[in-house]
Amino acid sequence: MTSIKPTEKLRTRDVIAAAKKNEKFGKIIPHLLLAVTSVTVLATFGIIYTLLKETFIFFQEVKITDFIFGTEWAPFSNADQAFGVLPLITGTLKIAGVALLIGVPFGLACAIFLSEYATPKIKKFIKPIIELLAGIPTIVYGFFALTVVTPWLQSFIPQLKLFNALSAGIVVGIMILPMIISLSEDALSAVPASFREGSYALGSTRFETAIKVVFPAAISGIAASIILAASRAVGETMIVSLAAGSTPVFNMDFTGSIQTMTSYIVQVATGDAGYGTTIYYSIYAVGFMLFLFTFLMNRAALYIKTKFREEY
Amino acid sequence: MTTTLVRPTEDAKLRVMKNENWTKAVYETNGLNLWYGTAHALKNIDLSINEKEVTAIIGPSGCGKSTYLKTLNRMVENVGDVTISGNVTFMGNNILGKAMSVELLRSKVGMVFQKPNPFPKSIYENVAYGPKIHGIRNKAMLDMIVEDSLRKAALWDEVKDRLNKSAYSLSGGQQQRLCIARCLAVDPEVILMDEPTSALDPVSTHKVEELIRTIKNDVTIAIVTHNMQQAARISDRTAFFLNGEIVECDRTSTLFSTPTDERTEDYINGRFG
Ligand SMILES: Nc1ncnc2c1ncn2[C@@H]1O[C@H](COP(=O)(O)OP(=O)(O)OP(=O)(O)O)[C@@H](O)[C@H]1O
Ligand SMILES: [Mg+2]
């Protein structure tokens, strides 16, 4: 800062010329930022490296084909220990499937309502509530599933077990709602108003306009939001650990206890598997599998969003 | 033209629309007032729009031309806080009343906007959209309507080999003619055009004017324009708006040669606005 002020004699340009800027500091900034960024990059590589290294050790003890195609997951069995990951994958897919079955229709209906029907006033009222939903810790969702949803479902599905895929899936579906709603609503709202006008001017109703013009125009963003939500559901840990049980089964039953990739990792990590045992390494292999799932889904979402963006 | 279009013979909806009091004027406006919030945008408008004529609406920016046009298909209500009083009839039916179905009205009254706004769909789907919305499913029928509408909009020869391409692969002028074809596809009685050529180059403008001249045998047109020559070239009657009021409305040749109001004369001679 400088105390020189423009006067009749002194023009602003002279004051600017006289003002001393701390050039040294300005030159350090990019280096500082680069350093901070490098830490992030290194952390990412560090995590992936650890994951890969331990996974590699695991596959020296268990055949990779037995792992990928095996239908029995019995790591704690002394007699016939088995590391076939398919039961964990089916468990994970059951949760994600139920979650999407709940989350997609409800989420898209909400998004269409908010972007095409709601007045600003209603929007102002509903949006904070959805944000509230997004702010609920997953552990709370978990015991909501266990203590509210399961007993309620049991009142009309008597064979439903205390720990089951169905109620955990439903609650994961509720958990991913805010994500689907807000991302899809962004995509719908980004559709130019002139498309809606064109459609109304031809005599279409609000609903026809929403479904036949606005929705297709926003489809890439909506698809991306669904895939990201699916990826969230696949990676969800707390709700399934609490409400879905820990029984790795390879079947199509939604009423009984299952185990997902995430809840297996929790089970081992919170148990007392010794360092260096096959069980210890198995959580890395499962973790790597999970990482592959979510990584590919996130890439797919990004790809769809950029590749299929409407050209208007 | 090679195809003759067979429309559904019984046009029940149209008969519903044609009230027995209906005579020559497709639109009759009496004592129309419109407020955006508290801003008085249209003041005591009296205006008739005659069947199969081109009515041009001219006037300086902000005088209420677009507002008036959007009242005729009730799109004006979409902006929110709008109060309307007075009388507007379309073929003898009060369009401002609660009983009027805006969807039915808009299927009879097309609109072309200042900026071409085709849907992000194929050329074919853009034109077929209106007929589909109004219940035409038959593929052969849709094909016929699409071809017919594109021919009327003088676009068929340019796009017939790429009907499945995106509408956004067309030039601005072609897009605007596509929007006109999209309007024509629902076989409207009236087309409202709000500065349809202001975003176009002179050649495209000329093409649109040509097509207005041909379709006016079939449809009634109300067109807002800032281009005096355009109004003089294509319209039968011209209404001059100023500050939300109609100053003068007459046959175009009369209004441009011997305007009765001094303000009209000033405006058409470019002395203000
Ligand atoms: N949505 C709106 N809300 C509030 N006021 C509006 C709205 N739309 C238009 N107005 C006002 O109403 C008046 C008439 O506007 P209108 O758009 O009809 O003018 P116009 O004659 O079409 O002008 P232009 O030639 O610039 O298109 C203007 O004063 C404008 O500011
Ligand atoms: Mg205007």
Side-chain angles (χ1 to χ4, degrees), chain A residues 150-171:
Chain A
T150 299
W152 175 68
L153 284 175
Q154 277 169 335
S155 65
F156 46 88
I157 312 176
Q159 73 271 30
L160 197 73
K161 309 281 181 346
L162 175 61
F163 296 107
N164 66 83
L166 188 61
S167 46
I170 290 173
V171 173

Side-chain angles (χ1 to χ4, degrees), chain A residues 32 157 279 301:
Chain A
L32 269 173
I157 312 176
I279 293 179

Side-chain angles (χ1 to χ4, degrees), chain A residues 33-303:
Chain A
L33 294 179
L34 178 66
V36 173
T37 310
S38 311
V39 171
T40 317
V41 174
L42 282 177
T44 310
F45 281 124
I47 291 170
I48 294 175
Y49 172 74
T50 318
L51 207 54
L52 276 174
K53 195 182 74 177
E54 312 286 51
T55 302
F56 186 73
I57 297 174
F58 175 76
F59 284 130
Q60 287 176 335
E61 293 171 26
V62 175
K63 255 172 63 188
I64 191 160
T65 46
D66 289 350
F67 177 72
I68 295 175
F69 301 110
T71 57
E72 201 187 337
W73 186 262
F76 305 109
S77 162
N78 290 324
D80 14 49
Q81 199 181 35
F83 286 100
V85 79
L86 284 180
L88 296 186
I89 290 182
T90 23
T92 304
L93 292 183
K94 276 181 201 171
I95 297 292
V98 173
L100 290 179
L101 231 51
I102 298 290
V104 170
F106 279 79
L108 294 189
C110 277
I112 289 177
F113 173 75
L114 286 176
S115 101
E116 304 303 303
Y117 287 86
T119 60
K121 230 170 143 184
I122 296 177
K123 235 173 159 167
K124 241 187 174 157
F125 173 73
I126 294 181
K127 280 216 137 173
I129 298 178
I130 292 168
E131 273 150 33
L132 200 67
L133 198 61
I136 296 175
T138 50
I139 183 98
V140 176
Y141 278 109
F143 62 73
F144 174 71
L146 187 63
T147 60
V148 179
V149 178
T150 299
W152 175 68
L153 284 175
Q154 277 169 335
S155 65
F156 46 88
I157 312 176
Q159 73 271 30
L160 197 73
K161 309 281 181 346
L162 175 61
F163 296 107
N164 66 83
L166 188 61
S167 46
I170 290 173
V171 173
V172 173
I174 298 172
M175 183 208 75
I176 60 175
L177 265 180
M179 190 174 189
I180 298 182
I181 295 173
S182 74
L183 293 179
S184 299
E185 202 230 316
D186 287 348
L188 291 167
S189 302
V191 173
S194 65
F195 294 169
R196 294 182 183 85
E197 284 188 337
S199 175
Y200 293 143
L202 285 165
S204 14
T205 61
R206 228 165 233 270
F207 187 66
E208 287 163 340
T209 303
I211 298 300
K212 296 188 175 152
V213 174
V214 183
F215 194 88
I219 194 68
S220 61
I222 289 170
S225 84
I226 293 172
I227 296 176
L228 285 178
S231 157
R232 251 320 268 292
V234 163
E236 172 47 37
T237 308
M238 213 32 114
I239 300 173
V240 289
S241 296
L242 249 66
S246 51
T247 317
V249 287
F250 185 63
N251 62 19
M252 284 304 290
D253 174 33
F254 286 81
T255 62
S257 170
I258 57 150
Q259 189 160 49
T260 64
M261 294 189 267
T262 51
S263 63
Y264 171 70
I265 296 172
V266 171
Q267 188 190 16
V268 174
T270 56
D272 47 17
Y275 175 84
T277 61
T278 314
I279 293 179
Y280 169 82
Y281 288 116
S282 74
I283 63 174
Y284 285 95
V286 173
F288 184 69
M289 197 80 186
L290 186 62
F291 167 71
L292 267 187
F293 264 71
T294 50
F295 174 75
L296 290 177
M297 282 166 120
N298 293 356
R299 292 304 305 179
L302 200 65
Y303 177 77

